[in-house]
Amino acid sequence: FRRLVSATGKLFFRWWREATGPLQGNKHASLIDALLRRLWVLSPVILLALILAGALGFHLFLGWRARDLTDKALASAEAGSLQFARRQIAAAASLRPDQPAVQRASALIESRLGNPDAVRLWEGMDESAVLTDDELDARAEIMTMHGDDGQFAVAVDALAAQGGTGRAAELRSRRSLRRGHLEGAIAQARTAVS
């Protein structure tokens, strides 16, 4: 074992001396031979650098592509192509499932489609995320239809705090009506109108 360690250490020092030493020594007849030998000696380092650069480039490309698909999915959803937007955001989620922008866009699109799984998507999001007015409205809408009382209250209160008090009252009225509370629905509808 000692001999192996000693031989490995000597091999490394010989390699380092040849890789960083003077370019043209007595061993090489011409400068071209010396350059080719230096490239051959440095080839493992060059190969490792190329692999690392390729991995970094691939990682950055996937992040860019996920952001691009997310932007396109939101644009498709705004244009009314919700099924196409769903396919685009699914492709973005397959590239970067933990990216907050992808999660938010996925929850928004699924909410607009009326998918009950959107409740789980909204609940799985980071609580420190600042939602836009459109996202707050979509979350409140889906919680009105499929959320439990706590989820509904949080979503509608956040919508009202952002300035959507009329819309919040409208959603409370719809929820009361769906539950058979006609008096509460009428009171909330009056609040929404005023």
Side-chain angles (χ1 to χ4, degrees):
F1 182 72
R2 278 189 214 144
R3 288 168 71 188
L4 178 65
V5 170
S6 173
T8 305
K10 287 178 185 176
L11 178 68
F12 174 75
F13 286 120
R14 276 189 14 220
W15 174 83
W16 182 257
R17 196 173 330 121
E18 192 167 345
T20 60
L23 187 59
Q24 193 170 6
N26 297 334
K27 298 178 187 176
H28 307 291
S30 69
L31 183 61
I32 301 237
D33 288 342
L35 283 173
L36 289 174
R37 177 67 183 166
R38 179 67 55 95
L39 284 175
W40 176 253
V41 168
L42 291 176
S43 63
V45 175
I46 293 169
L47 182 64
L48 181 63
L50 288 174
I51 290 171
L52 292 175
L56 178 64
F58 186 68
H59 178 76
L60 293 175
F61 172 75
L62 288 182
W64 169 80
R65 184 65 179 147
R67 281 190 304 278
D68 183 53
L69 282 169
T70 300
D71 293 341
K72 288 179 179 178
L74 290 173
S76 296
E78 287 297 320
S81 294
L82 291 173
Q83 292 300 327
F84 186 59
R86 177 186 264 175
R87 286 194 297 274
Q88 287 174 318
I89 202 62
S94 70
L95 298 175
R96 287 278 202 264
D98 297 331
Q99 195 171 40
V102 172
Q103 291 174 343
R104 289 166 60 163
S106 179
L108 178 69
I109 291 166
E110 293 300 324
S111 294
R112 287 190 177 166
L113 286 165
N115 187 353
D117 288 338
V119 172
R120 179 185 50 80
L121 294 173
W122 286 115
E123 290 297 310
M125 218 173 290
D126 185 20
E127 292 161 6
S128 65
V130 179
L131 302 178
T132 65
D133 292 342
D134 197 27
E135 291 167 343
L136 286 170
D137 186 65
R139 181 177 74 163
E141 178 83 30
I142 201 69
M143 295 303 179
T144 300
M145 294 185 291
H146 302 292
D148 62 25
D149 290 338
Q151 294 166 333
F152 171 73
V154 167
V156 171
D157 290 345
L159 179 64
Q162 197 76 4
T165 53
R167 176 76 170 136
E170 175 192 339
L171 293 174
R172 286 186 184 110
S173 174
R174 282 177 42 198
R175 178 120 172 155
S176 294
L177 188 61
R178 289 184 73 180
R179 294 184 164 221
H181 302 147
L182 190 56
E183 294 83 21
I186 292 171
Q188 290 297 331
R190 286 184 180 144
T191 305
V193 171
S194 59

